[in-house]
Short mmCIF file of all heavy atoms in Angstrom, two decimals:
data_model
loop_
_atom_site.label_atom_id
_atom_site.label_comp_id
_atom_site.label_asym_id
_atom_site.label_seq_id
_atom_site.Cartn_x
_atom_site.Cartn_y
_atom_site.Cartn_z
N LEU A 1 -20.54 52.47 103.47
CA LEU A 1 -20.73 51.46 104.52
C LEU A 1 -20.00 51.99 105.80
O LEU A 1 -18.95 52.67 105.74
CB LEU A 1 -19.94 50.12 104.04
CG LEU A 1 -20.55 49.39 102.93
CD1 LEU A 1 -19.58 48.25 102.56
CD2 LEU A 1 -21.91 48.91 103.25
N GLY A 2 -20.52 51.55 106.92
CA GLY A 2 -19.90 51.92 108.17
C GLY A 2 -18.76 50.97 108.51
O GLY A 2 -18.67 49.90 107.84
N PRO A 3 -18.00 51.27 109.53
CA PRO A 3 -16.91 50.37 109.92
C PRO A 3 -17.28 49.01 110.25
O PRO A 3 -16.59 48.02 109.92
CB PRO A 3 -16.26 51.05 111.08
CG PRO A 3 -16.78 52.48 111.07
CD PRO A 3 -18.08 52.41 110.33
N LEU A 4 -18.43 48.81 110.87
CA LEU A 4 -18.87 47.40 111.22
C LEU A 4 -19.30 46.63 110.06
O LEU A 4 -18.88 45.45 109.92
CB LEU A 4 -20.05 47.48 112.23
CG LEU A 4 -20.61 46.21 112.70
CD1 LEU A 4 -19.56 45.36 113.40
CD2 LEU A 4 -21.81 46.38 113.61
N ALA A 5 -19.94 47.28 109.09
CA ALA A 5 -20.32 46.57 107.82
C ALA A 5 -19.07 46.17 106.99
O ALA A 5 -18.98 45.14 106.42
CB ALA A 5 -21.18 47.49 106.97
N GLU A 6 -18.03 47.07 107.05
CA GLU A 6 -16.84 46.78 106.31
C GLU A 6 -16.07 45.54 106.90
O GLU A 6 -15.57 44.69 106.21
CB GLU A 6 -15.84 48.01 106.30
CG GLU A 6 -16.39 49.14 105.36
CD GLU A 6 -15.43 50.30 105.38
OE1 GLU A 6 -14.30 50.20 105.89
OE2 GLU A 6 -15.92 51.29 104.93
N VAL A 7 -16.08 45.49 108.23
CA VAL A 7 -15.44 44.33 108.89
C VAL A 7 -16.21 43.08 108.63
O VAL A 7 -15.67 42.08 108.32
CB VAL A 7 -15.30 44.61 110.41
CG1 VAL A 7 -14.95 43.33 111.14
CG2 VAL A 7 -14.33 45.68 110.69
N THR A 8 -17.54 43.13 108.68
CA THR A 8 -18.44 41.98 108.40
C THR A 8 -18.19 41.49 106.89
O THR A 8 -18.07 40.30 106.74
CB THR A 8 -19.84 42.37 108.62
OG1 THR A 8 -20.01 42.82 109.98
CG2 THR A 8 -20.77 41.22 108.30
N ASN A 9 -18.08 42.49 106.05
CA ASN A 9 -17.86 42.03 104.62
C ASN A 9 -16.46 41.37 104.47
O ASN A 9 -16.35 40.40 103.73
CB ASN A 9 -17.97 43.24 103.72
CG ASN A 9 -19.38 43.66 103.51
OD1 ASN A 9 -20.36 42.95 103.83
ND2 ASN A 9 -19.62 44.88 103.01
N LEU A 10 -15.50 41.90 105.13
CA LEU A 10 -14.14 41.36 105.07
C LEU A 10 -14.13 39.95 105.65
O LEU A 10 -13.53 39.03 104.95
CB LEU A 10 -13.14 42.17 105.85
CG LEU A 10 -11.68 41.72 105.83
CD1 LEU A 10 -11.15 41.60 104.43
CD2 LEU A 10 -10.84 42.52 106.70
N ILE A 11 -14.78 39.70 106.74
CA ILE A 11 -14.89 38.37 107.36
C ILE A 11 -15.58 37.40 106.40
O ILE A 11 -15.12 36.25 106.21
CB ILE A 11 -15.56 38.43 108.72
CG1 ILE A 11 -14.56 39.15 109.70
CG2 ILE A 11 -15.84 37.07 109.24
CD1 ILE A 11 -15.23 39.52 111.06
N THR A 12 -16.71 37.81 105.91
CA THR A 12 -17.52 37.03 104.99
C THR A 12 -16.66 36.64 103.72
O THR A 12 -16.60 35.48 103.28
CB THR A 12 -18.72 37.74 104.48
OG1 THR A 12 -19.50 37.98 105.64
CG2 THR A 12 -19.54 36.90 103.51
N GLY A 13 -15.94 37.61 103.19
CA GLY A 13 -15.06 37.40 102.04
C GLY A 13 -13.90 36.41 102.29
O GLY A 13 -13.62 35.52 101.53
N ARG A 14 -13.29 36.63 103.50
CA ARG A 14 -12.16 35.68 103.81
C ARG A 14 -12.63 34.25 104.02
O ARG A 14 -11.95 33.30 103.61
CB ARG A 14 -11.49 36.20 105.04
CG ARG A 14 -10.73 37.52 104.87
CD ARG A 14 -9.63 37.35 103.94
NE ARG A 14 -8.77 38.53 103.92
CZ ARG A 14 -8.36 39.11 102.81
NH1 ARG A 14 -8.65 38.70 101.64
NH2 ARG A 14 -7.60 40.19 102.93
N LYS A 15 -13.85 34.09 104.63
CA LYS A 15 -14.36 32.67 104.74
C LYS A 15 -14.69 32.13 103.44
O LYS A 15 -14.38 30.93 103.25
CB LYS A 15 -15.71 32.75 105.58
CG LYS A 15 -15.53 33.01 107.06
CD LYS A 15 -16.90 33.08 107.74
CE LYS A 15 -16.73 33.33 109.26
NZ LYS A 15 -18.02 33.43 109.89
N ALA A 16 -15.19 32.87 102.52
CA ALA A 16 -15.43 32.38 101.16
C ALA A 16 -14.17 32.05 100.44
O ALA A 16 -14.14 31.00 99.74
CB ALA A 16 -16.24 33.32 100.34
N GLU A 17 -13.14 32.82 100.57
CA GLU A 17 -11.84 32.55 100.00
C GLU A 17 -11.26 31.20 100.56
O GLU A 17 -10.74 30.42 99.79
CB GLU A 17 -10.88 33.75 100.18
CG GLU A 17 -11.24 34.90 99.42
CD GLU A 17 -10.50 36.20 99.84
OE1 GLU A 17 -9.66 36.15 100.74
OE2 GLU A 17 -10.80 37.18 99.25
N LYS A 18 -11.40 31.03 101.85
CA LYS A 18 -10.91 29.75 102.44
C LYS A 18 -11.54 28.60 101.89
O LYS A 18 -11.06 27.54 101.60
CB LYS A 18 -11.04 29.85 103.98
CG LYS A 18 -10.04 30.72 104.67
CD LYS A 18 -10.24 30.66 106.17
CE LYS A 18 -9.34 31.64 106.87
NZ LYS A 18 -9.57 31.57 108.34
N LEU A 19 -12.95 28.72 101.73
CA LEU A 19 -13.75 27.57 101.21
C LEU A 19 -13.30 27.31 99.77
O LEU A 19 -13.21 26.09 99.34
CB LEU A 19 -15.18 27.90 101.22
CG LEU A 19 -15.89 27.82 102.62
CD1 LEU A 19 -17.30 28.42 102.56
CD2 LEU A 19 -15.88 26.37 103.14
N SER A 20 -13.02 28.42 98.98
CA SER A 20 -12.63 28.23 97.59
C SER A 20 -11.25 27.50 97.56
O SER A 20 -10.96 26.66 96.69
CB SER A 20 -12.52 29.56 96.89
OG SER A 20 -13.81 30.16 96.87
N LEU A 21 -10.33 27.89 98.45
CA LEU A 21 -9.00 27.23 98.50
C LEU A 21 -9.16 25.74 98.80
O LEU A 21 -8.54 24.89 98.17
CB LEU A 21 -8.14 27.85 99.54
CG LEU A 21 -7.66 29.27 99.28
CD1 LEU A 21 -7.15 29.92 100.59
CD2 LEU A 21 -6.48 29.19 98.27
N GLN A 22 -9.99 25.42 99.75
CA GLN A 22 -10.28 23.98 100.09
C GLN A 22 -10.86 23.23 98.92
O GLN A 22 -10.42 22.10 98.56
CB GLN A 22 -11.20 23.84 101.28
CG GLN A 22 -10.60 24.30 102.59
CD GLN A 22 -11.66 24.39 103.71
OE1 GLN A 22 -12.76 24.11 103.51
NE2 GLN A 22 -11.19 24.75 104.89
N PHE A 23 -11.80 23.84 98.30
CA PHE A 23 -12.49 23.22 97.12
C PHE A 23 -11.49 23.00 95.94
O PHE A 23 -11.42 21.89 95.38
CB PHE A 23 -13.62 24.07 96.59
CG PHE A 23 -14.27 23.55 95.34
CD1 PHE A 23 -15.20 22.53 95.44
CD2 PHE A 23 -13.91 24.02 94.12
CE1 PHE A 23 -15.77 21.94 94.29
CE2 PHE A 23 -14.48 23.49 92.92
CZ PHE A 23 -15.42 22.46 93.03
N GLU A 24 -10.66 23.95 95.68
CA GLU A 24 -9.65 23.88 94.61
C GLU A 24 -8.62 22.85 94.91
O GLU A 24 -8.22 22.09 94.01
CB GLU A 24 -9.03 25.20 94.31
CG GLU A 24 -9.94 26.15 93.58
CD GLU A 24 -10.36 25.67 92.19
OE1 GLU A 24 -9.46 25.35 91.39
OE2 GLU A 24 -11.61 25.57 92.04
N SER A 25 -8.23 22.73 96.13
CA SER A 25 -7.28 21.70 96.54
C SER A 25 -7.82 20.29 96.33
O SER A 25 -7.15 19.43 95.82
CB SER A 25 -6.86 21.91 97.97
OG SER A 25 -5.90 20.99 98.41
N GLN A 26 -9.06 20.20 96.76
CA GLN A 26 -9.77 18.81 96.56
C GLN A 26 -9.95 18.50 95.12
O GLN A 26 -9.81 17.40 94.70
CB GLN A 26 -11.04 18.81 97.32
CG GLN A 26 -10.86 18.78 98.86
CD GLN A 26 -12.17 18.97 99.61
OE1 GLN A 26 -13.24 19.11 99.01
NE2 GLN A 26 -12.07 18.87 100.92
N ARG A 27 -10.37 19.53 94.32
CA ARG A 27 -10.71 19.38 92.92
C ARG A 27 -9.46 18.96 92.07
O ARG A 27 -9.54 18.04 91.27
CB ARG A 27 -11.30 20.64 92.35
CG ARG A 27 -11.75 20.53 90.89
CD ARG A 27 -12.31 21.82 90.42
NE ARG A 27 -11.23 22.83 90.24
CZ ARG A 27 -10.41 22.92 89.20
NH1 ARG A 27 -10.50 22.07 88.22
NH2 ARG A 27 -9.47 23.88 89.15
N THR A 28 -8.30 19.62 92.38
CA THR A 28 -7.13 19.41 91.52
C THR A 28 -6.08 18.50 92.14
O THR A 28 -5.28 17.96 91.44
CB THR A 28 -6.42 20.75 91.17
OG1 THR A 28 -5.98 21.32 92.37
CG2 THR A 28 -7.43 21.76 90.51
N GLY A 29 -6.13 18.37 93.43
CA GLY A 29 -5.03 17.62 94.13
C GLY A 29 -3.75 18.43 94.24
O GLY A 29 -2.75 17.96 94.64
N LEU A 30 -3.84 19.75 93.87
CA LEU A 30 -2.71 20.67 93.94
C LEU A 30 -3.00 21.74 94.90
O LEU A 30 -4.20 21.95 95.29
CB LEU A 30 -2.45 21.25 92.54
CG LEU A 30 -2.13 20.17 91.46
CD1 LEU A 30 -2.16 20.85 90.10
CD2 LEU A 30 -0.82 19.48 91.71
N THR A 31 -2.02 22.49 95.35
CA THR A 31 -2.21 23.55 96.31
C THR A 31 -2.38 24.91 95.64
O THR A 31 -1.45 25.36 94.95
CB THR A 31 -1.01 23.61 97.29
OG1 THR A 31 -0.82 22.35 97.88
CG2 THR A 31 -1.20 24.72 98.32
N PRO A 32 -3.55 25.45 95.75
CA PRO A 32 -3.82 26.81 95.14
C PRO A 32 -3.11 27.90 96.00
O PRO A 32 -2.81 27.62 97.18
CB PRO A 32 -5.27 26.98 95.15
CG PRO A 32 -5.77 26.14 96.30
CD PRO A 32 -4.77 25.00 96.36
N GLU A 33 -2.89 28.99 95.43
CA GLU A 33 -2.25 30.15 96.14
C GLU A 33 -3.33 31.22 96.54
O GLU A 33 -4.14 31.61 95.68
CB GLU A 33 -1.21 30.82 95.18
CG GLU A 33 -0.52 31.99 95.78
CD GLU A 33 0.52 32.63 94.83
OE1 GLU A 33 0.73 32.09 93.75
OE2 GLU A 33 0.91 33.80 95.17
N TRP A 34 -3.31 31.60 97.74
CA TRP A 34 -4.26 32.62 98.29
C TRP A 34 -3.59 34.01 98.03
O TRP A 34 -2.94 34.59 98.79
CB TRP A 34 -4.50 32.41 99.73
CG TRP A 34 -5.66 33.13 100.33
CD1 TRP A 34 -6.51 34.03 99.73
CD2 TRP A 34 -6.17 33.02 101.61
NE1 TRP A 34 -7.39 34.44 100.54
CE2 TRP A 34 -7.28 33.89 101.77
CE3 TRP A 34 -5.74 32.26 102.75
CZ2 TRP A 34 -8.01 34.02 102.96
CZ3 TRP A 34 -6.48 32.37 103.88
CH2 TRP A 34 -7.56 33.23 104.02
N VAL A 35 -3.89 34.56 96.85
CA VAL A 35 -3.32 35.85 96.43
C VAL A 35 -3.83 36.95 97.24
O VAL A 35 -3.14 37.87 97.65
CB VAL A 35 -3.59 36.03 94.91
CG1 VAL A 35 -3.13 37.39 94.45
CG2 VAL A 35 -2.88 34.90 94.11
N ALA A 36 -5.20 36.96 97.48
CA ALA A 36 -5.89 38.15 98.14
C ALA A 36 -5.41 38.38 99.52
O ALA A 36 -5.53 39.50 100.07
CB ALA A 36 -7.42 37.93 98.09
N ILE A 37 -4.85 37.39 100.20
CA ILE A 37 -4.41 37.59 101.56
C ILE A 37 -3.22 38.52 101.68
O ILE A 37 -2.98 39.17 102.63
CB ILE A 37 -4.11 36.22 102.26
CG1 ILE A 37 -4.15 36.33 103.78
CG2 ILE A 37 -2.86 35.57 101.82
CD1 ILE A 37 -5.52 36.45 104.42
N ARG A 38 -2.45 38.61 100.56
CA ARG A 38 -1.31 39.43 100.50
C ARG A 38 -1.37 40.65 99.63
O ARG A 38 -0.69 41.60 99.72
CB ARG A 38 0.00 38.72 100.22
CG ARG A 38 0.03 38.02 98.88
CD ARG A 38 1.33 37.39 98.55
NE ARG A 38 1.24 36.50 97.41
CZ ARG A 38 1.04 36.80 96.18
NH1 ARG A 38 0.91 38.05 95.89
NH2 ARG A 38 0.94 35.89 95.27
N ASP A 39 -2.30 40.52 98.55
CA ASP A 39 -2.45 41.61 97.57
C ASP A 39 -3.90 41.66 97.12
O ASP A 39 -4.32 40.85 96.25
CB ASP A 39 -1.56 41.26 96.40
CG ASP A 39 -1.61 42.40 95.32
OD1 ASP A 39 -2.26 43.40 95.53
OD2 ASP A 39 -1.04 42.24 94.24
N ASN A 40 -4.68 42.60 97.69
CA ASN A 40 -6.07 42.70 97.44
C ASN A 40 -6.33 43.45 96.10
O ASN A 40 -7.46 43.58 95.67
CB ASN A 40 -6.81 43.29 98.56
CG ASN A 40 -8.23 42.96 98.65
OD1 ASN A 40 -8.56 41.86 98.25
ND2 ASN A 40 -9.08 43.76 99.18
N SER A 41 -5.31 43.85 95.43
CA SER A 41 -5.47 44.63 94.24
C SER A 41 -5.10 43.85 92.91
O SER A 41 -5.01 44.39 91.87
CB SER A 41 -4.60 45.90 94.21
OG SER A 41 -3.18 45.58 94.20
N ALA A 42 -4.86 42.53 93.15
CA ALA A 42 -4.39 41.70 91.98
C ALA A 42 -5.47 41.45 90.97
O ALA A 42 -5.19 41.10 89.81
CB ALA A 42 -3.93 40.35 92.52
N GLY A 43 -6.76 41.63 91.30
CA GLY A 43 -7.85 41.42 90.33
C GLY A 43 -8.44 39.98 90.44
O GLY A 43 -9.40 39.67 89.80
N TYR A 44 -7.91 39.21 91.31
CA TYR A 44 -8.38 37.88 91.63
C TYR A 44 -7.96 37.49 92.99
O TYR A 44 -7.05 38.10 93.54
CB TYR A 44 -7.97 36.83 90.55
CG TYR A 44 -6.49 36.74 90.34
CD1 TYR A 44 -5.71 35.80 91.11
CD2 TYR A 44 -5.74 37.60 89.56
CE1 TYR A 44 -4.34 35.70 90.96
CE2 TYR A 44 -4.39 37.51 89.43
CZ TYR A 44 -3.67 36.55 90.11
OH TYR A 44 -2.36 36.46 89.98
N ASP A 45 -8.61 36.48 93.59
CA ASP A 45 -8.34 36.12 94.98
C ASP A 45 -7.54 34.86 95.18
O ASP A 45 -6.70 34.70 96.05
CB ASP A 45 -9.66 35.94 95.71
CG ASP A 45 -10.48 37.22 95.71
OD1 ASP A 45 -9.89 38.23 96.02
OD2 ASP A 45 -11.74 37.12 95.39
N VAL A 46 -7.73 33.91 94.22
CA VAL A 46 -7.06 32.56 94.31
C VAL A 46 -6.46 32.25 92.95
O VAL A 46 -7.07 32.37 91.90
CB VAL A 46 -8.18 31.44 94.65
CG1 VAL A 46 -7.54 30.12 94.63
CG2 VAL A 46 -8.80 31.78 96.06
N LEU A 47 -5.22 31.75 93.01
CA LEU A 47 -4.55 31.29 91.80
C LEU A 47 -4.47 29.77 91.93
O LEU A 47 -3.74 29.28 92.75
CB LEU A 47 -3.19 31.89 91.68
CG LEU A 47 -2.39 31.62 90.42
CD1 LEU A 47 -3.20 32.08 89.20
CD2 LEU A 47 -1.03 32.33 90.46
N SER A 48 -5.24 29.11 91.06
CA SER A 48 -5.34 27.69 91.11
C SER A 48 -4.91 27.04 89.83
O SER A 48 -4.09 27.64 89.08
CB SER A 48 -6.81 27.24 91.37
OG SER A 48 -6.92 25.84 91.64
N PHE A 49 -5.33 25.86 89.54
CA PHE A 49 -4.91 25.17 88.38
C PHE A 49 -6.15 24.58 87.62
O PHE A 49 -7.09 24.30 88.30
CB PHE A 49 -4.03 23.97 88.67
CG PHE A 49 -2.73 24.44 89.47
CD1 PHE A 49 -2.81 24.46 90.76
CD2 PHE A 49 -1.58 24.76 88.79
CE1 PHE A 49 -1.63 24.84 91.50
CE2 PHE A 49 -0.46 25.24 89.51
CZ PHE A 49 -0.50 25.28 90.83
N THR A 50 -6.06 24.50 86.24
CA THR A 50 -7.17 23.91 85.56
C THR A 50 -7.43 22.49 85.94
O THR A 50 -8.54 22.06 86.00
CB THR A 50 -6.94 24.14 84.03
OG1 THR A 50 -5.71 23.49 83.70
CG2 THR A 50 -7.01 25.53 83.62
N ASN A 51 -6.32 21.71 86.00
CA ASN A 51 -6.42 20.30 86.45
C ASN A 51 -5.06 19.83 86.89
O ASN A 51 -4.04 20.59 86.78
CB ASN A 51 -7.04 19.39 85.33
CG ASN A 51 -6.17 19.43 84.08
OD1 ASN A 51 -5.00 19.25 84.14
ND2 ASN A 51 -6.87 19.77 82.94
N SER A 52 -4.87 18.58 87.29
CA SER A 52 -3.60 18.08 87.75
C SER A 52 -2.82 17.42 86.61
O SER A 52 -1.63 17.23 86.82
CB SER A 52 -3.80 17.17 88.92
OG SER A 52 -4.57 16.09 88.58
N ASP A 53 -3.48 17.04 85.58
CA ASP A 53 -2.81 16.27 84.43
C ASP A 53 -1.90 17.18 83.62
O ASP A 53 -0.72 16.90 83.43
CB ASP A 53 -3.86 15.61 83.54
CG ASP A 53 -4.66 14.57 84.28
OD1 ASP A 53 -4.12 13.94 85.27
OD2 ASP A 53 -5.75 14.39 83.93
N ALA A 54 -2.46 18.35 83.15
CA ALA A 54 -1.67 19.29 82.31
C ALA A 54 -2.10 20.65 82.91
O ALA A 54 -2.78 21.37 82.24
CB ALA A 54 -2.02 19.16 80.89
N PRO A 55 -1.59 20.94 84.07
CA PRO A 55 -2.13 22.15 84.73
C PRO A 55 -1.71 23.45 84.05
O PRO A 55 -0.61 23.64 83.68
CB PRO A 55 -1.54 22.06 86.13
CG PRO A 55 -0.38 21.17 86.00
CD PRO A 55 -0.63 20.23 84.91
N ARG A 56 -2.74 24.25 83.92
CA ARG A 56 -2.54 25.70 83.50
C ARG A 56 -3.07 26.55 84.62
O ARG A 56 -3.96 26.05 85.36
CB ARG A 56 -3.27 26.09 82.28
CG ARG A 56 -2.68 25.45 80.98
CD ARG A 56 -3.33 25.99 79.71
NE ARG A 56 -4.67 26.30 80.00
CZ ARG A 56 -5.71 25.95 79.21
NH1 ARG A 56 -5.55 25.13 78.24
NH2 ARG A 56 -6.96 26.33 79.50
N ARG A 57 -2.53 27.64 84.86
CA ARG A 57 -2.97 28.52 86.00
C ARG A 57 -4.39 29.06 85.75
O ARG A 57 -4.82 29.38 84.61
CB ARG A 57 -2.00 29.73 86.20
CG ARG A 57 -0.58 29.36 86.52
CD ARG A 57 -0.45 28.28 87.63
NE ARG A 57 -0.93 28.65 88.89
CZ ARG A 57 -0.22 28.79 89.96
NH1 ARG A 57 1.07 28.57 89.97
NH2 ARG A 57 -0.74 29.06 91.10
N LEU A 58 -5.16 29.07 86.80
CA LEU A 58 -6.62 29.53 86.78
C LEU A 58 -6.78 30.59 87.83
O LEU A 58 -6.55 30.34 89.01
CB LEU A 58 -7.51 28.34 87.06
CG LEU A 58 -9.01 28.60 87.12
CD1 LEU A 58 -9.56 29.01 85.73
CD2 LEU A 58 -9.67 27.31 87.55
N ARG A 59 -7.15 31.81 87.39
CA ARG A 59 -7.43 32.92 88.27
C ARG A 59 -8.82 32.92 88.71
O ARG A 59 -9.74 32.87 87.83
CB ARG A 59 -7.02 34.24 87.59
CG ARG A 59 -5.60 34.35 87.33
CD ARG A 59 -5.31 35.73 86.64
NE ARG A 59 -3.94 35.85 86.23
CZ ARG A 59 -3.49 35.70 85.01
NH1 ARG A 59 -4.38 35.52 84.02
NH2 ARG A 59 -2.26 35.81 84.73
N ILE A 60 -9.16 32.94 90.03
CA ILE A 60 -10.47 32.89 90.57
C ILE A 60 -10.78 34.13 91.38
O ILE A 60 -10.03 34.44 92.31
CB ILE A 60 -10.64 31.64 91.39
CG1 ILE A 60 -10.35 30.40 90.57
CG2 ILE A 60 -12.06 31.66 92.01
CD1 ILE A 60 -10.31 29.15 91.35
N GLU A 61 -11.87 34.82 91.06
CA GLU A 61 -12.42 35.95 91.79
C GLU A 61 -13.49 35.38 92.64
O GLU A 61 -14.56 34.90 92.12
CB GLU A 61 -12.84 37.07 90.88
CG GLU A 61 -13.55 38.18 91.61
CD GLU A 61 -12.67 38.99 92.57
OE1 GLU A 61 -11.37 38.91 92.41
OE2 GLU A 61 -13.23 39.63 93.47
N VAL A 62 -13.32 35.36 93.90
CA VAL A 62 -14.39 34.80 94.82
C VAL A 62 -15.42 35.87 95.16
O VAL A 62 -15.07 37.00 95.54
CB VAL A 62 -13.65 34.33 96.17
CG1 VAL A 62 -14.73 33.76 97.07
CG2 VAL A 62 -12.64 33.25 95.81
N LYS A 63 -16.65 35.48 95.15
CA LYS A 63 -17.82 36.33 95.54
C LYS A 63 -18.56 35.71 96.67
O LYS A 63 -18.69 34.46 96.69
CB LYS A 63 -18.73 36.56 94.34
CG LYS A 63 -18.13 37.22 93.21
CD LYS A 63 -17.66 38.64 93.49
CE LYS A 63 -17.05 39.33 92.35
NZ LYS A 63 -16.49 40.60 92.72
N ALA A 64 -18.98 36.43 97.62
CA ALA A 64 -19.65 35.92 98.75
C ALA A 64 -20.75 36.93 99.27
O ALA A 64 -20.66 38.09 99.07
CB ALA A 64 -18.63 35.66 99.91
N THR A 65 -21.69 36.36 100.04
CA THR A 65 -22.68 37.12 100.59
C THR A 65 -23.09 36.55 101.94
O THR A 65 -22.92 35.31 102.10
CB THR A 65 -23.94 37.29 99.75
OG1 THR A 65 -24.93 38.07 100.47
CG2 THR A 65 -24.57 35.96 99.44
N ALA A 66 -23.56 37.31 102.88
CA ALA A 66 -23.98 36.77 104.16
C ALA A 66 -25.50 36.59 104.13
O ALA A 66 -26.02 35.99 105.05
CB ALA A 66 -23.65 37.76 105.33
N VAL A 67 -26.10 36.90 103.04
CA VAL A 67 -27.60 36.65 102.84
C VAL A 67 -27.72 35.20 102.46
O VAL A 67 -27.06 34.70 101.57
CB VAL A 67 -28.12 37.58 101.75
CG1 VAL A 67 -29.59 37.30 101.61
CG2 VAL A 67 -27.94 39.01 102.22
N GLY A 68 -28.75 34.58 103.08
CA GLY A 68 -29.04 33.17 102.73
C GLY A 68 -29.55 33.00 101.31
O GLY A 68 -29.90 33.96 100.61
N ILE A 69 -29.65 31.74 100.90
CA ILE A 69 -30.15 31.43 99.59
C ILE A 69 -31.51 32.04 99.27
O ILE A 69 -31.88 32.34 98.15
CB ILE A 69 -30.08 29.88 99.29
CG1 ILE A 69 -30.20 29.61 97.83
CG2 ILE A 69 -31.12 29.14 100.19
CD1 ILE A 69 -29.79 28.21 97.44
N HIS A 70 -32.36 32.13 100.28
CA HIS A 70 -33.71 32.66 100.03
C HIS A 70 -33.82 34.15 100.37
O HIS A 70 -34.93 34.69 100.25
CB HIS A 70 -34.78 31.83 100.88
CG HIS A 70 -34.68 30.38 100.49
ND1 HIS A 70 -35.17 29.93 99.27
CD2 HIS A 70 -34.31 29.32 101.19
CE1 HIS A 70 -34.98 28.60 99.17
NE2 HIS A 70 -34.45 28.23 100.34
N GLY A 71 -32.78 34.75 100.80
CA GLY A 71 -32.82 36.19 101.12
C GLY A 71 -32.75 37.10 99.95
O GLY A 71 -32.26 36.71 98.93
N ALA A 72 -33.31 38.20 100.04
CA ALA A 72 -33.32 39.23 98.98
C ALA A 72 -32.06 40.02 99.03
O ALA A 72 -31.60 40.37 100.05
CB ALA A 72 -34.56 40.12 99.07
N ILE A 73 -31.60 40.41 97.91
CA ILE A 73 -30.37 41.27 97.85
C ILE A 73 -30.84 42.63 97.44
O ILE A 73 -31.67 42.92 96.63
CB ILE A 73 -29.35 40.76 96.77
CG1 ILE A 73 -28.86 39.43 97.31
CG2 ILE A 73 -28.23 41.67 96.59
CD1 ILE A 73 -27.85 38.76 96.38
#
């Protein structure tokens, strides 16, 4: 990949991570941790919770694409 493609992929990935953080916050009522913003080698991007009643930690690896739902990969 060239430098422009790498930057584009990073921006796309960060947007998806932000959406995942928002979704997890709404889903659980708890605040998930954005791991990838400080450590991209952790193996997951978001550390959330299974639920708010008896929460266990949930590791989430976020995947994203800039191609639309009908686009070919």
Side-chain angles (χ1 to χ4, degrees):
L1 294 176
L4 182 57
E6 288 180 15
V7 169
T8 301
N9 287 346
L10 179 64
I11 291 169
T12 300
R14 293 296 191 225
K15 285 180 181 178
E17 290 167 3
K18 286 180 183 179
L19 287 172
S20 296
L21 289 163
Q22 291 172 357
F23 176 81
E24 286 300 303
S25 179
Q26 291 172 356
R27 183 183 69 80
T28 65
L30 301 169
T31 303
E33 181 183 348
W34 193 356
V35 175
I37 200 74
R38 63 176 164 69
D39 182 6
N40 208 27
S41 66
Y44 55 94
D45 300 312
V46 175
L47 186 59
S48 188
F49 302 90
T50 53
N51 59 52
S52 60
D53 297 330
R56 290 189 329 232
R57 298 314 297 244
L58 177 65
R59 295 180 184 106
I60 300 170
E61 172 67 20
V62 178
K63 300 295 182 188
T65 181
V67 178
I69 193 166
H70 300 292
I73 295 180

